[in-house]
Amino acid sequence: MSLDDIKSFSKENMAFDPTGHDFLHAQRVAKLAQKIYTEDFKKDETDIGLYVVKAASYLHDTIDEKVTADKKNRLREVRIILSHENIATPAREDILDIIQHMSYSDNIEHHYQLSNEGKCVQDADRLDALGAIGIARAFAYGGHAGQEIYDPKISVKEIKTHDDYRHHKSTTINHFYEKLLKLASSMNTRMGKQEASRRTKYMRDFLSEFQMETGVKDET
Ligand code: ADP
Ligand code: NI
């Protein structure tokens, strides 16, 4: 249960990603998810639970379509890596379940019920979309996607479907209102909620400052 192979696989496949889904993102998620797990699930915490949290954190974006052009094959590779780990089948299945069902976009139309370990990884991933790092990642993603910083002519859209989220023309400032400011109310854990609220306040301050400097209307 050393995680070395899993970390190497993650590092290899997320070495450089200009959309904010790089290996440092995986490392931050792993660190934060562990902290949430030991804090929020103290009484149920187990060594294998902690292993699941770390493994799922490192692997969660390796199968993301933004990171791989061949999700099916990447998932096959993840299964092989996991089959070589000395863990029981339920833990292996849980890691696979978490990484396939935790994403924001997959939970817009359905609400997948994750294990406690999955809830921690999902919260940590969402926290990394918030605060100073969240702001940086949003603009990195926007630049890479060829999206404008802001455009007074493009209005904020209410996101109801996976398709709305993935395919409508947005701006990075609108993305804050369409998704990022809503994350705090969808957190699973006590620590996740608390930290999301702190980071969201910081983003609201950023948006007020942005509004003052640019004159772009604050939508909240
Ligand atoms: P998930 O993988 O959970 O479905 P995404 O990959 O869509 O979530 O989002 C991960 C991060 O990428 C977001 O939190 C945000 O920082 C950035 N991102 C995604 N879509 C956009 C967008 N349209 N504009 C700016 N940033 C975005
Ligand atoms: Ni992620």
Side-chain angles (χ1 to χ4, degrees):
M1 296 215 312
S2 77
L3 279 167
D4 286 351
D5 292 345
I6 287 176
K7 281 188 198 168
S8 307
F9 180 81
S10 171
K11 198 170 191 170
E12 219 172 276
N13 291 294
M14 300 178 73
F16 179 76
D17 174 83
T19 70
H21 299 78
D22 52 12
F23 183 62
L24 288 170
H25 165 63
Q27 280 184 320
R28 288 190 302 272
V29 171
K31 198 170 161 196
L32 210 46
Q34 275 178 78
K35 204 166 159 191
I36 296 172
Y37 183 66
T38 42
E39 202 41 53
D40 269 54
F41 295 102
K42 247 180 229 138
K43 67 175 174 39
D44 307 317
E45 184 192 323
T46 59
D47 285 350
I48 187 66
L50 202 54
Y51 171 91
V52 168
V53 166
K54 289 191 243 181
S57 297
Y58 280 109
L59 294 172
H60 84 277
D61 273 334
T62 60
I63 60 163
D64 191 306
E65 274 150 359
K66 288 185 284 313
V67 172
T68 175
D70 189 351
K71 181 172 175 170
K72 236 171 135 182
N73 189 47
R74 183 58 63 74
L75 191 58
R76 204 177 51 81
E77 289 172 356
V78 170
R79 282 184 200 280
I80 294 170
I81 293 261
L82 290 176
S83 72
H84 294 144
E85 291 291 298
N86 184 22
I87 49 172
T89 304
R92 192 172 296 127
E93 291 302 321
D94 192 24
I95 295 166
L96 287 164
D97 183 67
I98 295 168
I99 66 172
Q100 290 179 92
H101 296 113
M102 62 177 273
S103 81
Y104 179 79
S105 43
D106 284 338
N107 281 276
I108 296 174
E109 289 168 71
H110 320 266
H111 178 76
Y112 289 106
Q113 191 58 38
L114 300 175
S115 61
N116 287 346
E117 289 75 12
K119 287 178 180 160
C120 298
V121 182
Q122 187 179 55
D123 275 11
D125 190 35
R126 291 181 174 183
L127 285 175
D128 207 51
L130 299 176
I133 185 67
I135 295 172
R137 290 181 71 220
F139 287 101
Y141 181 104
H144 183 77
Q147 179 176 280
E148 286 165 298
I149 295 174
Y150 76 103
D151 181 346
K153 293 189 292 305
I154 300 179
S155 51
V156 171
K157 183 177 170 75
E158 197 188 338
I159 305 293
K160 291 203 186 112
T161 65
H162 184 278
D163 252 29
D164 289 344
Y165 181 65
R166 283 280 168 243
H167 302 300
H168 83 288
K169 184 170 163 52
S170 191
T171 67
T172 302
I173 287 293
N174 281 3
H175 185 69
F176 283 69
Y177 300 100
E178 288 165 350
K179 170 185 172 185
L180 303 177
L181 297 179
K182 294 182 177 159
L183 288 177
S185 65
S186 69
M187 304 301 283
N188 306 300
T189 64
R190 191 197 53 80
M191 193 195 243
K193 286 189 180 110
Q194 198 182 339
E195 182 61 10
S197 148
R198 196 187 68 79
R199 292 188 187 202
T200 301
K201 278 198 195 87
Y202 180 80
M203 288 173 113
R204 286 191 188 279
D205 285 349
F206 165 80
L207 289 167
S208 306
E209 185 74 17
F210 191 92
Q211 178 195 5
M212 198 182 70
E213 293 172 15
T214 61
V216 74
K217 190 174 158 287
D218 188 338
E219 301 269 351
T220 50

